[in-house]
Amino acid sequence: GINIKEIPIQDYYALFSVVFQDYQLIGFNLGEQITSSDTFDEEKVLQILSEVQFNHKMENLQKGLATSMLKYFDDQGIELSGGENQKLAIARALYKQSKILIMDEPTSTLDPLAEHDIFTKFQSMTNNKLSILISHRLSFTAFCNKIYVLENGTIIEGGNHNELMINQKRYYELYMTQIHYYEEKENE
């Protein structure tokens, strides 16, 4: 019931944390990378890094959260894999603790085991947030309370995983196609 134009822009921005499919890391140190600040709650950062399965990488970083990211400002900066970078992008969104979390293909560069680990913990990580996940991969849809199938910019179906499977419409077709792809690969 509130006109969006009446909300101060900074308050509006504070509502959202977004992980874009094409995210960018910044040449700051690891702690600053997550928090966008040079002062932060170290314990909170470490907890979030653990939630996104980055704690194993942290064990190998001699400077811990002070480790420089990239090599823009520090020749000793580290370059991470695509999956590790994506975990940091997710951690950055979670650290912000916004009320609305939007993630566009948030695990596209993660291996299947890392993706499963993150989605297994996803509900606890996003507790009390409205979370919107955009994906072409349907492997994690069972974790979602509500699924919307879009086609040509229009919602053509909605429901939870079980409801959409029973309906046997577009979602069912897409899901079964992806499942059959994996089954075919397994049988080769």
Side-chain angles (χ1 to χ4, degrees):
I2 299 172
N3 184 333
I4 199 166
K5 294 177 183 176
E6 295 175 13
I7 300 173
I9 196 71
Q10 291 306 96
D11 293 347
Y12 179 74
Y13 288 158
L15 291 173
F16 296 93
S17 287
V18 181
V19 179
F20 294 107
Q21 184 174 2
D22 295 323
Y23 54 86
Q24 292 293 317
L25 296 185
I26 305 164
F28 298 155
N29 71 40
L30 180 57
E32 295 166 343
Q33 184 71 236
I34 304 302
T35 65
S36 300
S37 174
D38 58 356
T39 57
F40 51 86
D41 181 342
E42 187 172 317
E43 189 174 315
K44 181 178 168 184
V45 172
L46 292 172
Q47 173 62 37
I48 289 171
L49 288 172
S50 176
E51 288 174 2
V52 299
Q53 307 295 309
F54 195 81
N55 50 326
H56 300 296
K57 182 69 176 181
M58 278 295 300
E59 293 168 4
N60 298 319
L61 300 178
Q62 292 178 349
K63 294 182 182 178
L65 295 177
T67 301
S68 294
M69 304 298 302
L70 311 172
K71 296 183 184 283
Y72 295 124
F73 304 117
D74 182 353
D75 291 339
Q76 302 299 311
I78 62 170
E79 302 281 339
L80 300 173
S81 70
E84 291 166 337
N85 286 333
Q86 198 158 40
K87 288 176 181 183
L88 294 185
I90 293 169
R92 187 169 38 196
L94 294 174
Y95 185 85
K96 188 176 175 188
Q97 294 193 339
S98 299
K99 294 182 184 215
I100 302 169
L101 177 62
I102 301 173
M103 300 173 80
D104 181 13
E105 300 286 0
T107 59
S108 62
T109 59
L110 297 180
D111 66 66
L113 294 175
E115 179 181 55
H116 179 265
D117 288 344
I118 284 184
F119 282 121
T120 300
K121 293 183 174 186
F122 190 74
Q123 265 189 318
S124 65
M125 289 190 297
T126 61
N127 194 21
N128 298 321
K129 295 181 189 326
L130 170 62
S131 302
I132 300 169
L133 305 172
I134 303 160
S135 183
H136 291 90
R137 294 186 343 189
L138 303 179
S139 57
F140 67 86
T141 53
F143 296 99
C144 299
N145 296 329
K146 191 77 166 177
I147 302 162
Y148 293 101
V149 180
L150 283 81
E151 193 168 85
N152 299 320
T154 303
I155 296 174
I156 60 169
E157 275 185 281
N160 65 36
H161 174 75
N162 293 333
E163 293 166 346
L164 294 172
M165 291 301 285
I166 289 169
N167 290 342
Q168 293 193 6
K169 294 180 181 175
R170 187 70 173 146
Y171 175 84
Y172 174 85
E173 177 186 346
L174 294 168
Y175 189 86
M176 294 308 291
T177 298
Q178 287 186 10
I179 292 298
H180 284 126
Y181 174 75
Y182 289 117
E183 288 172 350
E184 288 173 14
K185 288 289 187 190
E186 244 178 52
N187 294 329
E188 287 180 359

